[in-house]
Amino acid sequence: MRLIQTALAGTLESSDAQVMVENAGTGIELSIESDVINQYGRQIRETVLETLARLGVENARVRVIDKGALDCTLRARVECAVFRACRIEKDFPWGGVIR
Amino acid sequence: MKNAVNREIPDELLQNGRKPFMGSGYYEGTEYRKDAPSVRVREKSFETKLLPSIREAVQKCGVKDGMTVSFHHHFREGDYIINMVMKEIVALGIRDITIAASSVGAAHDPVAEYIEQGIVTGLQTSGIRGRIGEAVSHGKLKTPAVLRSHGGRVRAVERGEVHIDVAFIGAPTSDCYGNARGVGGKSDCGVLSYAMVDAKYADKVVVITDTLVDFPNFPPSIQAVDVDWVVVVDAIGDPKKIATKAARMSQDPRDLMMAEYCARVMAATPYFRDGFSFQTGVGGASLAANRFLESMLVEKNYKIKWIIGGITKPAVDLLNKGLVEMIVDAQDFDVDSVQSIRDNPRHYEISVSQYASPGNKGAFVNKLDFVILAALDVDPDFNVHGITGSDGVLRGAPGGHPDASAGAKCTIIVTPLVRGRMATICEHVVTVTTPGECVDVVVTDYGIAVNPKRQDLLASLREAGLPLKTIEELKDEAYHIAGVPDDLEFHERVVAIMEARDGTILDVVRQIKPMKL
């Protein structure tokens, strides 16, 4: 998927994560801030990168501000931000790349 | 070597008679001679102990390099005393100071600076938060901080393991001879229980107040016979942060569910009978348990004989409704509890030695039936942790947790299974602050686990139809939801020693390694 605009999903509430994606350069440039980075930072990174790969996003700058979100929440926020950045607002591929 | 809770204690710490934790009750029946202060005699008639400034008090007390000064934390995050005193000590060029406080927090951030400058080189406390916690965790304090429970702190002073050179005791009211009270002033904190041992064992005692009252200020919490000097300042603290507004009863359905489980656990045990004794912590679910307890008391026509501990509005409400006979109070958290100790003759002030010391001839906690307390994490051996944040930085307080847990017949730990992705029931707790052998029941939102050494309680709770799980099942469930956490990374260097309440070493805290992803 090719990102067209900068987009945001999620909140800064406890147990949520805010994900910002923008079209940039080549490859994935990922920054993570998290309340639980020491114990779960590695898993947050893996989850975000896996989700981006599944969506076919190859070039993006991604910023995650995590407030202790579970993996399912992180995946949903990344998916939402990417679709917003691609200006896709309907006919989501439920059961396809969105799991 | 490994101690009785399986923690590795470095050999270099086990010198000069220091022992690793051997299990609770290790010193039962042993004898010792208490420490004693030196006394500067005032035999002749004189009018007043008032001095014009804190600086003069510091000088008159002969504070010098290498000394230990002490403080209490009844003013909590509203405290001005530590900063005012330390500023003068630093201004006088005195160095190598050890602070022995009953707790320190964000109100004392300036002290972190003194730690970094090498002026404050020792810290002994029962709670550590704010920038001081960060400074210690990053290895800035010259010697390892010593962390003790409230009862353990008193024991250490009574045994002379800590000898206080000068105690600076902030007091809401005092007369010119140093009879000091927790009520009657501009910034009432209710009781002065933490400071009582300091007044009895420090060589020099200074009372600092913002409300000077006529002699004699009676009945006193701190007695003039123990006080050298009195200083009057404009403000001892911020009254809004000293006695806060009562916490609203939690409406969080998860808290309420856990609170109800706690009350039902209590009701299922043989200790739930007319005249039992009770303590709760000040966490949301612990406090909410009072609400469920109330209807159970009314239904059975039972009364609680005494409530102890840090006191909050729910305990005061039970007292006013006649559902508890008396409150014995070592700390007040809100305006309601401060008013109650001032006005209600069935609400009594006690010293922290009476409350919780394992070094005297029998403290109140030894006769507790129930205590409900929170935890940051709990391991499969029921060891409880409550001192470092998820990043390994010191940011908590063992407080009275280890004391009440050791004493109570039924110790209930209440914690949500997952808190902001942190699995609270986990394989390894960061630091053991209360040994698992003192914990009987763990209540979570996903079920209740009973310590296998309490087969009697397990049978009672099963009969009552409570949702029982093993602690391993709870841990697996937590990891299933949150994922298995990576271990925190630490340097070798020990930055803090967590003492068991009897003075043996329960665990150590090491310097954190900055996280790199």
Side-chain angles (χ1 to χ4, degrees), chain B residues 198-209:
Chain B
D198 304 49
K200 290 286 173 201
Y201 288 82
D203 289 340
K204 295 282 191 292
V205 176
V206 179
V207 165
I208 302 172
T209 188

Side-chain angles (χ1 to χ4, degrees), chain B residues 134-174:
Chain B
E134 288 170 22
V136 172
S137 297
H138 286 100
K140 306 286 187 194
L141 187 71
K142 195 171 160 195
T143 60
V146 181
L147 309 171
R148 298 189 177 92
S149 70
H150 290 324
R153 174 179 193 265
V154 174
R155 179 206 53 77
V157 175
E158 287 172 338
R159 289 193 80 120
E161 289 165 21
V162 188
H163 188 81
I164 300 165
D165 293 299
V166 187
F168 293 92
I169 300 176
T173 58
S174 174

